[in-house]
Amino acid sequence: MLLGGHCSGGIKKALDNAHGFGMDAVQLFAQSPRAWRFPEHDPADLEKFRRRREELGIQAVTVHALYLLNLASPKDDFYEKSVTTLRSTMDAACAIEADAVVFHVGSHLGSGFEAALERVVPALLQCLERCSETTWLCMENAAGTGDTVGRSLDELVAIYDAAGRHERLGVCLDSCHLFASGYDVSDPKVLDGLIAELDERVGLDRLRCLHVNDSKAPLGSNRDRHDNIGDGLLGEKLGVFLGHPKLQGLPALLEVPGRDGHGPDAEQMEKLRALYKRATKRSARSRGTKARRPAARGTRG
C-alpha cells in the first residue's frame, strides 16, 4: 500500500507536512474546511505543487471535498452551493494533477433515498464532466448516521449505476465507516465477501483509495468517530483490512486525531507502518500468497 494521511496546509504546505511525517501518499483540502468560499488559487502555486510533488516523491494525492457538501439535499440553495463547490474542487484537483477527489454524498434529510438519487446524479454528472484522465471523482462510504446516503454497498452501487457507470467515477472505502455501518472489517470472511461483492457489482478497478481509521464506536452503531491506530475497537484487527491482498497497491490514508488532536502525525505513521508490516505477513502466511506490489502511478483502471 501507499501509506499516508490527511495533512493540513492545503495546496501550499500539505506536501511538505506529509513528507515530514514520512508519508508516501497525502490527502488535503483545496479550501478551508470550515467555509463555503472557494479560493482563487494562484497558478504559480498550482505549478509549484506539481513540481514539489515530484521532488518529494509523493506517490498519490487525494483532495477531500468540503465536509459541508450535501448533494442529496432537498433544499435548493444548499444543493446549489454544494454542486458549485464540488465543481471548483474538481477543477483545482485537476490543476494539481491529483489522483482523486473524495466526497461524502450527503444526507437526504428525510426525503428518502430515491429522492436523493434524483438530486445526486445530476450533480455528479456536472462534476464528472470536469474530470481528467488523471483525476477521478470518488464516493466515500458513510457511517450511516441519520439520513446519510452511501451507508451501504447497495446505495453506492445504485448511485454508480444511475450515473451511467461513468468511466471516472470511483469509490473510497473507509474502515471506520464500514465498521460503524455494520460491516465487520476485522472478520476476514466478512471482508472477503464485501470485496468480492464490490468486484462483482462495480469492479475493483473503481476502488481508488482507502481511509484507514480505527473506530471509537462499536460495530453497527452508525456513529462516525475515528480513533488513532491501535486505540479503538478495531485495534490489531484493523490489520485484516490493511493486509487484504486485493487492497494492495492502493493509497491508504489516515484520518485520525493524532496525539494532540491536529490529525495524523509521524507517531501515527510509525504505528500504521508497523501494523501494516504485521498484517501483510499474517495475510501472506494464511493465504499462502505474496502481497501485490503497488501499481505505478496512473496505471489503475
Side-chain angles (χ1 to χ4, degrees):
M1 287 181 173
L2 305 176
L3 302 178
H6 188 101
C7 284
S8 62
I11 286 174
K12 293 183 178 180
K13 297 180 180 179
L15 285 175
D16 286 289
N17 289 336
H19 182 69
F21 294 146
M23 296 178 177
D24 302 318
V26 64
Q27 180 176 275
L28 57 98
F29 289 122
Q31 68 183 109
S32 168
R34 294 175 292 276
W36 282 103
R37 188 184 68 82
F38 201 90
E40 291 287 337
H41 290 294
D42 187 331
D45 290 331
L46 302 174
E47 193 280 330
K48 181 180 178 181
F49 183 99
R50 298 191 298 268
R51 185 178 67 250
R52 189 64 174 150
R53 175 183 178 179
E54 294 298 327
E55 291 171 354
L56 296 176
I58 301 294
Q59 298 181 60
V61 171
T62 298
V63 175
H64 201 299
L66 189 68
Y67 288 128
L68 296 172
L69 293 182
N70 187 358
L71 302 183
S73 177
K75 301 176 181 179
D76 288 341
D77 56 342
F78 205 97
Y79 176 78
E80 292 301 330
K81 284 197 297 186
S82 297
V83 176
T84 298
T85 301
L86 187 57
R87 287 202 307 259
S88 297
T89 304
M90 178 56 69
D91 290 345
C94 288
I96 61 172
E97 298 180 0
D99 301 284
V101 169
V102 172
F103 71 100
H104 297 170
V105 179
S107 170
H108 59 68
L109 302 177
S111 64
F113 180 76
E114 292 303 320
L117 204 58
E118 294 180 3
R119 306 286 269 180
V120 171
V121 171
L124 293 187
L125 293 177
Q126 288 187 49
C127 297
L128 286 164
E129 288 178 356
R130 308 171 98 90
C131 287
S132 68
E133 290 186 4
T134 300
T135 310
W136 285 39
L137 184 62
C138 291
M139 304 179 285
E140 181 177 348
N141 65 299
T145 306
D147 297 321
T148 52
V149 177
R151 66 179 67 204
S152 66
L153 184 56
D154 284 341
E155 290 192 355
L156 294 178
V157 171
I159 296 168
Y160 175 68
D161 287 341
R165 305 174 73 88
H166 191 283
E167 63 181 358
R168 298 299 175 200
L169 181 57
V171 174
C172 170
L173 290 181
D174 184 302
S175 56
C176 173
H177 297 174
L178 286 169
F179 190 70
S181 62
Y183 296 96
D184 188 357
V185 295
S186 70
D187 184 326
K189 290 184 179 179
V190 172
L191 186 58
D192 282 348
L194 172 64
I195 293 173
E197 186 179 359
L198 179 64
D199 192 17
E200 179 182 353
R201 301 179 69 184
V202 176
L204 289 185
D205 60 314
R206 301 304 182 110
L207 181 57
R208 309 300 289 188
C209 63
L210 307 170
H211 287 166
V212 183
N213 302 304
D214 209 328
S215 178
K216 292 183 179 180
L219 177 69
S221 63
N222 299 128
R223 296 168 64 200
D224 184 4
R225 298 189 64 198
H226 298 189
D227 208 347
N228 288 323
I229 297 298
D231 291 347
L233 297 176
L234 286 167
E236 185 69 18
K237 288 189 175 181
L238 181 57
V240 174
F241 186 75
L242 278 171
H244 198 285
K246 291 190 176 180
L247 299 182
Q248 303 311 301
L250 290 168
L253 302 161
L254 292 170
E255 295 177 318
V256 297
R259 175 178 293 206
D260 56 6
H262 293 156
D265 51 26
E267 180 183 62
Q268 284 298 299
M269 280 302 303
E270 288 178 6
K271 290 183 177 181
L272 178 63
R273 289 193 184 280
L275 177 59
Y276 177 66
K277 185 176 181 180
R278 295 192 300 272
T280 50
K281 285 183 177 179
R282 283 195 299 267
S283 178
R285 284 198 303 267
S286 65
R287 299 173 186 270
T289 60
K290 292 183 178 180
R292 186 181 69 189
R293 294 180 63 189
R297 182 183 169 197
T299 62
R300 291 183 61 85

